[in-house]
Amino acid sequence: MYEGVLQDLIDELARLPGVGPKGAQRIAFHLLAADPADVRRLAETMQEMKAKATFCQTCGNVSQAERCRICADPRRDPTSICVVEEPKDVVAIERTREFRGRYHVLGGAISPLAGIGPDQLRIRELMGRLADGEVTEVILAMDPNIEGDATAAYLSRLLRSMELSVTRLASGLPVGGDLEYADEVTLGRAFAGRRSTGD
Amino acid sequence: MHVSHLSLHDFRSYDTLELGLEPGVTSLLGRNGQGKTNVVEAVDYLSRLSSHRVSGDQPLVRQGAERAVVRAAVTREGRSATLEVEINPGRSNRARVNRAALPRARDLVGLVRTVVFAPDDLALVKGDPSERRRFADDLQVLLTPRYAGTRADYDRVLKQRSSLLRTARTRGGSAAQGMLATLEVWDERLAALGAEIMVTRAAAVEQLVPLLGKAYEAVARGARRDDAVVTYRPSFEIADLTVVADVEQALLAEVARRRQDEIDRGVTLVGPHRDDLLCTLGELPVKGYASHGEGWSFALALRLASYELLRQPGDDPILVLDDVFAELDATRREQLAELVAGAEQVLVTAAVADDVPEALRGRRLTVADGQVTPDG
């Protein structure tokens, strides 16, 4: 145990995700030795983020305004929506630069154990965006696990009756990987989702 | 295969243990509570990443320690490999083969194969259906390690679906209607994974039957070969358990039929988690009809049959006889000893040296106060 304020900081830091007691101690000592101006900037940035960051009213992504940068960008394709679980999934897909449409962030996946059903996710908002018929393509980009699969299955049932192209991200082999090292489930999914090599 | 060296760190009662082992029979002798079973439990854990004694991992870690490590040098057809698992309760375990980390600990399953005879094996035939499902699942995991993944996924779906039904029941009204909108999604997953499990289990039981007959005949001298039979019994009427797609359809239909019942009771009533194995002697079920001795013979025969099923040319599973002789009468002891004496490696634990039959003379080690020393 360290004295007073230092221990308080360690305790606070240790509550953060991904930070254990040792990591918390390291960060605290780093801050203790750091330039006061740097520490002040860090504290201010955190406060500013908390005060200003909000969620886009359209897609639910993290934003600084009522509409996020992507939703406000007129160059993005308005006919295509990619549905994801979390804001960090948007960032991951944006890095690929493959997708030029807009996003819809659900805020999680269906999980009765965690008390999350369709009503706890931003599904009603998604249906609202699809109502006017401008959107013609929906891409479901849920995590390939039990809860993600269930969410995607629920959404595709919901969207079945609409005049839409609904697709789910392919799951399979990692690029640069070796076939022989893939686990059976991944390889099995890659097999099931194989596609024609013809044009 | 056999284990030629076993190292334990903070496993159960052991701070550290370095133990050289040999092929053939090794008996661990000592009074109760000295740590005999802990040694064989470690070998069994390495094979299935779960213990035959407890369901969680926490009791496996020595009091006050954060993690336990089990390491074993395993020789298989003349080639040796070092397998290691680090047990982190509440977090994911880590596994290494020849010091190289595996992507997932689960990939270790099946590299070592063990068959364990334990004092509570009688529950296999006389206990709840869950005992027999666990027997079938444990066997299946060693036959096809991929099955462990299917099981884990099924358990997850089952938990989610049952939680949904439970909440819907307690809330009631329109809130329940909203929640049940997702029920069909879980039905599909339950049926897809459940069908795979039922078909795999039924196939394993099918393979077991001829071996079981032979084993029972050997354990209970004088019994006819067709006396002991085990059959897979699904929780609902289904004619054929060979085609996954058909079983999946049947499961979906059954789920639909029981819908109201499930909603009223708030539990998942259909699926392989409610199936059973039916053990019969002659025409009569073992449970409720067989004598204590017959029950034991049947349980031993089930273990022996799974041992035979897991055998591959030149590669026997490791046999563990954990405190089992104290439970058996003299005749069954001798029978069992005779049957297993030829196995590549047999690890025996017993509190009383005289309980171990002469046929399993082998090498004897004394376990006392967490120390393992060669006998006398």
Side-chain angles (χ1 to χ4, degrees):
Chain A
M1 289 292 274
Y2 297 95
E3 281 194 23
V5 285
L6 184 62
Q7 187 62 43
D8 290 347
L9 178 63
I10 293 174
D11 292 345
E12 284 298 323
L13 288 169
R15 288 168 50 195
L16 299 176
V19 182
K22 287 205 174 119
Q25 188 175 316
R26 234 175 114 195
I27 298 169
F29 273 96
H30 173 82
L31 293 173
L32 184 65
D35 190 49
D38 287 343
V39 179
R40 195 172 311 120
R41 202 171 55 243
L42 175 65
E44 281 167 8
T45 315
M46 285 164 71
Q47 277 176 341
E48 202 181 333
M49 179 277 287
K50 196 61 201 163
K52 288 191 184 159
T54 166
F55 295 96
C56 172
Q57 301 213 333
T58 309
C59 73
N61 194 10
V62 185
S63 165
Q64 274 206 49
E66 251 179 49
R67 293 183 82 195
C68 73
R69 214 168 25 79
I70 296 169
C71 287
D73 186 346
R75 291 168 299 172
R76 305 291 295 217
D77 179 1
T79 64
S80 178
I81 288 186
C82 177
V83 185
V84 297
E85 291 181 18
E86 306 283 350
K88 50 182 194 271
D89 300 332
V90 173
V91 178
I93 295 173
E94 278 299 282
R95 270 204 303 266
T96 68
R97 298 183 186 272
E98 279 289 325
F99 179 62
R100 298 306 301 161
R102 293 187 173 134
Y103 293 92
H104 191 84
V105 181
L106 292 175
I110 292 177
S111 169
L113 280 172
I116 299 175
D119 294 346
Q120 282 69 43
L121 301 171
R122 300 183 68 258
I123 289 176
R124 200 168 301 123
E125 289 85 342
L126 175 66
M127 300 315 277
R129 288 177 76 183
L130 300 177
D132 65 2
E134 192 184 11
V135 177
T136 54
E137 181 188 25
V138 173
I139 301 163
L140 302 175
M142 274 86 243
D143 290 343
N145 55 25
I146 299 287
E147 290 76 16
D149 285 349
T151 312
Y154 177 75
L155 286 175
S156 50
R157 277 167 171 262
L158 217 54
L159 303 174
R160 198 177 287 159
S161 58
M162 302 172 92
E163 297 266 316
L164 285 171
S165 142
V166 181
T167 51
R168 172 119 203 247
L169 285 197
S171 75
L173 300 170
V175 175
D178 269 320
L179 203 66
E180 55 179 305
Y181 292 130
D183 67 281
E184 296 86 345
V185 177
T186 308
L187 196 53
R189 280 198 175 199
F191 243 98
R194 69 188 183 277
R195 46 186 219 196
S196 163
T197 56
D199 43 11
Chain B
M1 66 183 71
H2 68 269
V3 173
S4 53
H5 190 93
L6 183 69
S7 313
L8 305 180
H9 294 282
D10 293 328
F11 183 86
R12 288 271 190 190
S13 56
Y14 291 97
D15 183 344
T16 50
L17 175 75
E18 298 291 337
L19 181 62
L21 290 166
E22 286 161 21
V25 181
T26 303
S27 299
L28 296 149
L29 305 168
R31 283 184 296 110
N32 291 323
Q34 303 295 310
K36 304 182 297 286
T37 294
N38 298 348
V39 176
V40 294
E41 183 183 29
V43 176
D44 184 38
Y45 189 88
L46 213 49
S47 108
R48 295 181 295 118
L49 295 187
S50 76
S51 156
H52 67 282
R53 292 160 84 193
V54 284
S55 53
D57 280 349
Q58 188 66 56
L60 302 179
V61 178
R62 193 171 61 91
Q63 281 277 312
E66 235 176 86
R67 66 179 69 89
V69 177
V70 176
R71 193 180 304 121
V74 177
T75 306
R76 179 181 193 162
E77 295 176 78
R79 290 163 54 103
S80 188
T82 306
L83 310 185
E84 180 184 309
V85 62
E86 184 184 296
I87 306 166
N88 299 307
R91 289 179 298 131
S92 42
N93 292 347
R94 266 184 264 184
R96 290 183 196 84
V97 173
N98 291 333
R99 297 195 173 188
L102 297 177
R104 293 166 314 162
R106 206 193 265 168
D107 296 337
L108 193 72
V109 169
L111 294 183
V112 177
R113 284 170 295 133
T114 54
V115 173
V116 181
F117 292 69
D120 37 17
D121 275 355
L122 191 58
L124 270 185
V125 288
K126 300 225 161 180
D128 292 336
S130 61
E131 305 277 351
R132 287 178 287 281
R133 285 194 295 270
R134 195 159 70 118
F135 167 78
D137 286 343
D138 286 350
L139 181 63
Q140 193 56 46
V141 165
L142 293 183
L143 284 169
T144 44
R146 187 176 70 87
Y147 183 75
T150 313
R151 274 292 332 203
D153 285 353
Y154 180 79
D155 285 345
R156 183 83 191 156
V157 167
L158 187 61
K159 265 192 195 148
Q160 291 281 20
R161 190 175 183 277
S162 302
S163 164
L164 182 67
L165 287 167
R166 205 163 43 242
T167 340
R169 189 180 62 138
T170 46
R171 296 256 177 88
S174 63
Q177 284 309 312
M179 303 195 76
L180 292 176
T182 54
L183 191 55
E184 283 183 21
V185 166
W186 294 111
D187 292 350
E188 284 169 10
R189 264 139 201 84
L190 184 89
L193 291 161
E196 203 177 317
I197 289 175
M198 289 173 71
V199 169
T200 324
R201 276 188 193 159
V205 168
E206 190 93 351
Q207 284 179 276
L208 204 60
V209 171
L211 301 169
L212 176 73
K214 244 157 95 184
Y216 188 81
E217 192 186 36
V219 179
R221 226 173 247 171
R224 286 200 328 278
R225 175 174 293 201
D226 60 356
D227 259 350
V229 175
V230 59
T231 34
Y232 191 69
R233 207 168 62 172
S235 60
F236 62 98
E237 288 288 328
I238 176 167
D240 187 62
L241 278 172
T242 50
V243 184
V244 176
D246 295 351
V247 178
E248 188 177 338
Q249 285 312 311
L251 269 168
L252 278 175
E254 184 66 11
V255 166
R257 197 177 71 79
R258 302 290 297 273
R259 173 76 82 226
Q260 197 52 48
D261 213 6
E262 287 197 317
I263 293 171
D264 292 345
R265 293 165 64 178
V267 281
T268 298
L269 295 170
V270 183
H273 64 290
R274 301 185 65 98
D275 293 353
D276 196 359
L277 307 186
L278 183 66
C279 303
T280 46
L281 268 179
E283 298 290 297
L284 297 172
V286 175
K287 198 175 171 178
Y289 287 90
S291 71
H292 185 75
E294 284 174 325
W296 259 115
S297 294
F298 204 105
L300 294 177
L302 276 175
R303 292 290 183 206
L304 282 168
S306 35
Y307 171 72
E308 288 297 331
L309 187 58
L310 289 171
R311 275 178 95 165
Q312 286 164 6
D315 186 17
D316 291 353
I318 296 165
L319 263 175
V320 174
L321 305 179
D322 182 17
D323 244 334
V324 78
F325 290 112
E327 302 284 332
L328 302 177
D329 58 41
T331 335
R332 284 190 181 80
R333 260 185 223 173
E334 297 301 332
Q335 285 296 336
L336 179 61
E338 223 171 273
L339 289 166
V340 303
E344 184 174 344
Q345 187 168 44
V346 187
L347 303 175
V348 182
T349 72
V352 184
D354 292 342
D355 280 352
V356 183
E358 202 50 36
L360 293 178
R361 188 69 224 176
R363 185 171 170 238
R364 303 209 155 177
L365 304 172
T366 303
V367 185
D369 282 335
Q371 299 286 321
V372 183
T373 43
D375 201 18

